[in-house]
Amino acid sequence: MEPLLKTEKLGITFNKGKPNEFVALKDVNIEIYPNEYIIFFGPSGSGKSTLLYSLLGLLKPTTGEIYIRGKAYSTFREKEKNIRTSKMFGMVFQQYNLLFSLNVFDNVILPQIFISEPARSRKEKAIVLLRRFGIEARAKQSPANLSGGQQQRVAVCRALINNPDIILADEPVGNLDSESAKIVMDTLKDINVKDKKTVVLVTHDARYLPYADRVYFFKDARIEREERMSIGGHGGPGGGAPSPVVDLERLARAHPTLSAAQLKAWSLSNWLTEELTVEQMERLEEAMEKILSGKISPHQFFESLDMPFADGGVGLYRQTAAAFARRVVHIMDEMRLYAERTKGENDPKKRAQLVSMLSFFLLEEHKGDLAPEELKRLSAAIEARIVGTLSHADFVQKLSKNPSEQGVGLAQTVADRLAERLDLIISKI
Ligand code: ADP
Ligand code: MG
């Protein structure tokens, strides 16, 4: 049987050729088969997360090669890589990375915006997942009201909603008490056994080793040994049809561009920020908002990511900062292309205004020409519309009313169009 994932003499060196050069992975050879449960085990700093990120295509090998279903990663085009990974992999992190401004249900269905699937079954699917993991009753609440273990189960549902082949989990129970940790670990096992998903889990905690079929032991940037933990192991049918590749044009047509693109940026930032503190996340989001609204250049964006935290930057590793900046710029280019293609459909100025307002909802950021008070009202109205407490007509009215009457003060036409666009999003998700 062909391995689902494979590396051949994979090496990753950070800051190559610089005084701070650091070899994070050396000569790594692994093979992961369909329906296996694999653990990457080893002390902190031994290269486990680095391997996980390179499997996701987020870190380019310094030496060696990575294969997905036998196809060399180096032969994928950038676009293909992004799309493949968003459909093939579901990610679960130590920090749950949920959006507190959305309710549990909306958090779970967020990744669906990246794939072209009929909208009809989506809600059903999310409910089935939430029910299965015992959190259905919390669907309408903010994740902020949930315990850590419940939040992580929401994150697992989110990782599963696109029906990926592989679940990658990086220290998913590292922040949980042992009781909640067991529930989440059992959940992941259940997904492996019942749903026949391949699970790759990173941990430094030996208590969890029995969950795996096979364990790769990491030490000093190498895989020291490999051990089979249980009999049985893999053996799923595998070889299912590869996921259909969705090109960004179709994605853009199916969803209001900026929202899709920004959600994509957001999900990329989740991939890259597993080890960031809350304060670093906040700074990263600030920088994202600035570049997306054109307040800073791509280079300034990179600099703010790279700058040490103590100096007011995000304090990312230089390579991470560069890779992240590249990806965000790439996404922005695609957004621009789309905007050009659809020019003439309506007044581009109004359109841009609308789009930035929609994006505002998604990022909860301060943007555009509105005063902070009106922005807040806009955001509240969008949220109310999304959760269904505001009708279409009331929403339009709220937006078009004067600021002196607690409105947002938008022109009637703008308010109408925004309402339409928003309803479109609601119907898609
Ligand atoms: P683990 O997940 O096993 O704890 P990681 O894979 O995160 O370890 O990191 C391995 C080593 O590589 C660590 O010493 C870490 O500091 C270093 N490292 C990780 N990412 C970068 C980077 N972008 N630049 C430089 N060093 C890095
Ligand atoms: Mg790690």
Side-chain angles (χ1 to χ4, degrees), residues 9-77:
K9 290 191 184 264
L10 176 70
I12 301 237
T13 302
F14 291 114
N15 307 316
K16 196 165 171 58
K18 307 240 176 71
N20 58 344
E21 179 170 302
F22 186 86
V23 178
L25 287 179
K26 221 191 263 174
D27 270 334
V28 169
N29 298 305
I30 61 164
E31 287 187 351
I32 298 175
Y33 291 87
N35 197 23
E36 275 196 299
Y37 191 130
I38 299 289
I39 286 184
F40 294 169
F41 176 77
S44 178
S46 56
K48 308 179 297 292
S49 297
T50 301
L51 181 56
L52 211 64
Y53 288 146
S54 45
L55 293 176
L56 269 171
L58 292 173
L59 286 174
K60 201 171 167 339
T62 314
T63 58
E65 182 62 273
I66 301 167
Y67 301 87
I68 293 193
R69 296 186 201 282
K71 191 163 169 6
Y73 231 109
S74 60
T75 64
F76 289 165
R77 283 170 299 129

Side-chain angles (χ1 to χ4, degrees), residues 107-395:
N107 266 283
V108 172
I109 59 179
L110 264 184
Q112 292 246 316
I113 201 153
F114 303 121
I115 61 164
S116 65
E117 209 191 86
R120 266 172 226 100
S121 60
R122 290 179 183 174
K123 288 195 173 166
E124 189 61 31
K125 245 173 147 179
I127 292 293
V128 168
L129 282 170
L130 289 169
R131 189 177 303 146
R132 172 171 170 191
F133 298 122
I135 31 183
E136 190 193 7
R138 306 299 196 119
K140 294 284 176 220
Q141 293 182 21
S142 162
N145 302 332
L146 273 57
S147 72
Q150 288 170 327
Q151 286 190 40
Q152 194 58 300
R153 276 180 279 152
V154 175
V156 171
C157 292
R158 187 182 57 188
L160 282 172
I161 192 86
N162 279 353
N163 197 24
D165 301 319
I166 307 161
I167 299 288
L168 302 179
D170 197 351
E171 308 272 8
V173 299
N175 280 341
L176 301 176
D177 60 82
S178 55
E179 205 173 309
S180 312
K182 186 177 180 318
I183 295 174
V184 171
M185 287 299 292
D186 289 345
T187 302
L188 288 168
K189 187 71 188 171
D190 202 57
I191 290 163
N192 172 246
V193 173
K194 297 214 182 98
D195 304 15
K196 311 264 180 264
K197 305 275 181 214
T198 307
V199 173
V200 183
L201 181 109
V202 166
T203 184
H204 60 265
D205 192 332
R207 280 177 301 175
Y208 302 125
L209 294 183
Y211 280 93
D213 297 321
R214 237 170 2 108
V215 179
Y216 286 110
F217 290 81
F218 284 63
K219 195 174 177 214
D220 300 334
R222 289 178 183 277
I223 290 180
E224 203 181 32
R225 68 195 162 93
E226 173 195 335
E227 208 170 286
R228 189 163 286 283
M229 302 304 287
S230 57
I231 345 159
H234 62 84
S243 53
V245 173
V246 183
D247 65 272
L248 270 151
E249 204 178 322
R250 264 172 65 206
L251 188 80
R253 240 182 279 132
H255 307 280
T257 18
L258 252 169
S259 342
Q262 288 190 343
L263 276 170
K264 196 163 178 189
W266 169 78
S267 88
L268 285 170
S269 79
N270 276 352
W271 273 341
L272 288 163
T273 55
E274 155 253 0
E275 266 154 10
L276 297 189
T277 63
V278 173
E279 289 81 11
Q280 281 180 302
M281 289 281 271
E282 279 169 9
R283 290 215 185 140
L284 179 64
E285 277 172 24
E286 252 169 55
M288 288 271 285
E289 185 268 327
K290 284 190 188 141
I291 187 172
L292 289 167
S293 59
K295 287 181 195 145
I296 56 172
S297 71
H299 188 72
Q300 287 170 316
F301 178 64
F302 162 73
E303 281 181 333
S304 63
L305 302 191
D306 182 46
M307 194 186 288
F309 188 78
D311 301 339
V314 181
L316 296 180
Y317 288 114
R318 178 159 291 232
Q319 275 77 6
T320 310
F324 190 65
R326 258 198 316 276
R327 266 160 202 278
V328 169
V329 168
H330 182 70
I331 288 163
M332 289 178 68
D333 282 345
E334 272 159 0
M335 278 153 40
R336 247 193 305 274
L337 272 179
Y338 174 74
E340 268 162 33
R341 254 185 243 127
T342 53
K343 218 166 25 195
E345 229 177 52
N346 49 34
D347 182 348
K349 243 199 209 146
K350 272 184 201 155
R351 189 189 175 82
Q353 202 177 350
L354 279 168
V355 169
S356 67
M357 283 190 289
L358 281 174
S359 74
F360 165 75
F361 150 69
L362 292 163
L363 290 177
E364 298 181 277
E365 312 257 318
H366 178 112
K367 205 156 180 260
D369 299 317
L370 294 172
E373 229 10 72
E374 284 126 56
L375 274 168
K376 247 189 237 153
R377 281 181 211 142
L378 173 62
S379 166
I382 292 176
E383 287 214 30
R385 180 74 193 121
I386 287 199
V387 298
T389 53
L390 209 58
S391 73
H392 182 99
D394 289 345
F395 179 75

